[in-house]
Amino acid sequence: MAVKKYDSADRRTAFANSMHAAGVDSEAIAARMSADTAQGRPARDAVRNGPGKPPVARKGKPNKSQGRDRQHAGR
């Protein structure tokens, strides 16, 4: 059995038909299909672990303006 490509016209048509059958507004379906076409990859790819180390938060050098409160004169 062949695996369907994620970004195929058949999959998008079937998905649009299932949303239509569920009562989703046609304008919302069109917007979802537009976004789906623009992305072209399944959402689960976004959470897969890629090669290398994950990003790490770094402490920056303190800035003169960091932590300083602003004063508004005349208010």
Side-chain angles (χ1 to χ4, degrees):
M1 182 174 149
V3 178
K4 284 186 181 179
K5 285 181 62 175
Y6 178 77
D7 190 30
S8 69
D10 293 336
R11 184 199 59 82
R12 287 192 301 270
T13 302
F15 185 51
N17 290 339
S18 70
M19 287 195 301
H20 182 69
V24 177
D25 181 43
S26 61
E27 189 174 325
I29 293 172
R32 177 64 170 89
M33 291 297 101
S34 177
D36 196 40
T37 303
Q39 297 302 315
R41 295 180 65 187
R44 72 177 149 253
D45 283 356
V47 294
R48 286 190 182 156
N49 292 338
K53 296 180 181 178
V56 177
R58 299 181 194 146
K59 289 186 177 182
K61 293 180 182 178
N63 191 347
K64 289 181 183 178
S65 64
Q66 233 174 358
R68 189 181 288 179
D69 292 334
R70 293 183 180 180
Q71 294 180 1
H72 298 283
R75 288 189 180 193

